[in-house]
Structures are given as structure tokens and as C-alpha cells.
Amino acid sequence: NLAYLLALHSIDGLGPIRLKKLIDYFEDPKIVWGANPKEFQQLGIPKNTINLFEQTRKKLDPEEEFQKLSKNEIKVKTIFDDDYPKRLKQIYDPPTLFYYRGEFLATDERSIGIVGTRKVTGYGRTVTEKLTQELVGSGFTIISGLARGVDTIAHITAINSGGRTIACLGGGLNKMFPPENLRLSQKIIEGNGVVLSEYPPDYPSLAGNFPSRNRIIAGLSLAVLVTEAAEDSGSLITARLAIDMGREVFAIP
């Protein structure tokens, strides 16, 4: 009943922990979709989320929405799948599911996250390119967030070095941000890696999405490398999340 899991996942307020609680209780996403919302309150689901669920259930057809994904060549991996990334599954709040384009390979389990500032300097560019090349040469897949600056340099260098790269987005796959990286995202999915998001395909890239996106970068990675970052940057959020997950964190002086 993947279509019903996707429909539930699209509701704001039903994050990984609450959604897991509902599925554990009702045992089937389709039963959750048809359940009496009064039971949700007993499981600690907030009233505004319950109201949103009832509104969504009236206007959304899960099977129709699922067909749209196939037409757009968007695939889905759920935490119930045997091939869900093992390292990501081990974090405190793994995505119940994520949407992706491209193909995962077994070698992607050996991966390093590279993150940094959007306002990259010449020095930052040089060290990001050099270390990305060396990591690719050692057989690592490069994971980053497809943002401007360090992220973009890491993805492009990985591809140009004959390696693989995974881009984790802060919005839906149909709402590419920044828009100038649309061509880069196409290059990644055409045999060079994966572009993924836990947000539904048409969900916008909102500022509040990026800390959540950063936990996926850290969760997929063996270690995280910060090549250049401001003190208040999202890159340091990724580094802190990686430390909390027991990952190695490296930084360039």
C-alpha cells in the first residue's frame, strides 16, 4: 500500500516519528488513511495535524498521485525496503521514505559528505576540488546538498573525476533549487549518481527544510568534510548532526 504511505507522508506535521507511530499502531498505511481521526489524538498527534489530515483525505486520491510519480520517472524508497540505505536507517529519525531519480549502487555505502559555504573563496574552491578528486580516486561516493558554492563544486568535481555523487535536496524533485543547478541534477541522474529528497515532488524549497535535509547528508555519510564555512552556516549544523550520529567530522584550516 505504498500509495497510501505516500499520501500520509505528504501531510505537514506527520514527520518520520509520528508517521511511524501511526503505522506501528494500525499496521497498514491504507488502514491509517481510512481510520477515525479521533484515534490519532490518543497517539499524541496534534489537533492541527489531524485537521490537515482530514482536509487532505477529502481532496487527494492516493492512487492517482502514485501514478503521477511513475509518469515523472520518480522512484521511492521506504524504510520498510530491504535496500534502504543501512547507515541512514540507523539515525534517530530516518526518513520514512524518500523520493529519488537516478540509481543507487552498492558502492554508495562508501561515501563522504562534503559541505561548505555558498559564498566560496578561491581558496575554498581549490581545496574542495583537490580533496574531492582524491576521495573519488580512493573509491568514495561524494554526498552534498546541491546548493551554490562548495556543494556545487563537490558534485561537479566528483563527476568530472569519473566518480559518483548523491545530491540531497531541501525541496521537492520538481522544484529544483537553486534553479541554475537543474542541468547539474540531470547530469547526476544520467549515470553519475542520485538526486533525492524526503519532500513530496512539488514541495517548495523553504528555509526551514534545510536542517532536516542536512541530517540526511550526515546520515548517509561515513564522515563529513567541511571545506569552508561561516560560523552561522548550515554546514556547521551538518557537522554537529554528524557528531551526534557518531560520524567522523573533518575540517580544512
Side-chain angles (χ1 to χ4, degrees):
N1 288 320
L2 179 56
Y4 293 89
L5 180 60
L6 293 172
L8 291 165
H9 180 265
S10 72
I11 298 167
D12 278 341
L14 277 186
I17 294 168
R18 286 174 182 161
L19 188 50
K20 183 178 186 301
K21 192 181 284 186
L22 286 171
I23 292 168
D24 285 348
Y25 181 80
F26 289 100
E27 298 185 345
D28 187 321
K30 191 172 183 178
I31 295 173
V32 178
W33 187 256
N36 185 335
K38 287 180 180 177
E39 291 183 81
F40 290 15
Q41 281 183 306
Q42 297 166 11
L43 295 170
I45 308 299
K47 193 169 183 181
N48 59 336
T49 302
I50 295 171
N51 291 339
L52 195 54
F53 165 73
E54 290 184 289
Q55 292 166 24
T56 305
R57 190 164 60 170
K58 287 174 186 173
K59 63 185 181 183
L60 187 143
D61 183 324
E63 299 289 354
E64 274 184 25
E65 291 300 309
F66 186 59
Q67 292 304 318
K68 285 182 191 174
L69 290 181
S70 301
K71 286 178 184 174
N72 289 321
E73 298 182 334
I74 294 174
K75 292 168 270 195
V76 179
K77 211 173 276 294
T78 81
I79 201 163
F80 309 108
D81 297 333
D82 292 336
D83 59 351
Y84 186 92
K86 293 188 185 79
R87 203 172 295 112
L88 186 60
K89 197 179 241 182
Q90 293 165 358
I91 72 172
Y92 166 68
D93 53 349
T96 307
L97 60 89
F98 60 82
Y99 306 83
Y100 70 101
R101 287 187 173 114
E103 292 295 339
F104 283 95
L105 299 182
T107 53
D108 294 332
E109 284 290 321
R110 184 175 159 83
S111 56
I112 300 287
I114 297 183
V115 295
T117 181
R118 288 168 171 78
K119 298 175 181 176
V120 65
T121 65
Y123 169 78
R125 175 179 291 277
T126 299
V127 296
T128 301
E129 288 175 345
K130 176 176 170 54
L131 287 158
T132 300
Q133 287 167 0
E134 292 178 358
L135 287 164
V136 167
S138 297
F140 289 99
T141 294
I142 303 301
I143 302 178
S144 199
L146 206 73
R148 298 181 180 101
V150 165
D151 292 19
T152 296
I153 294 164
H155 290 305
I156 291 173
T157 306
I159 293 169
N160 291 345
S161 303
R164 285 179 54 78
T165 188
I166 296 172
C168 303
L169 306 185
L173 292 173
N174 293 337
K175 299 285 185 180
M176 189 57 59
F177 183 83
E180 64 265 28
N181 275 349
L182 179 60
R183 186 177 293 181
L184 173 57
S185 73
Q186 285 298 121
K187 236 179 173 181
I188 293 171
I189 65 178
E190 288 168 1
N192 296 299
V194 174
V195 177
L196 67 83
S197 174
E198 71 173 319
Y199 298 100
D202 294 318
Y203 202 86
S205 294
L206 305 173
N209 298 355
F210 291 96
S212 184
R213 179 278 306 269
N214 294 344
R215 91 187 191 289
I216 297 178
I217 294 174
L220 285 167
S221 303
L222 278 164
V224 170
L225 169 64
V226 183
T227 57
E228 184 178 39
E231 287 184 16
D232 60 349
S233 68
S235 305
L236 297 193
I237 294 174
T238 309
R240 281 194 292 273
L241 288 165
I243 290 168
D244 289 344
M245 294 172 189
R247 309 291 193 254
E248 296 278 6
V249 175
F250 302 95
I252 307 303

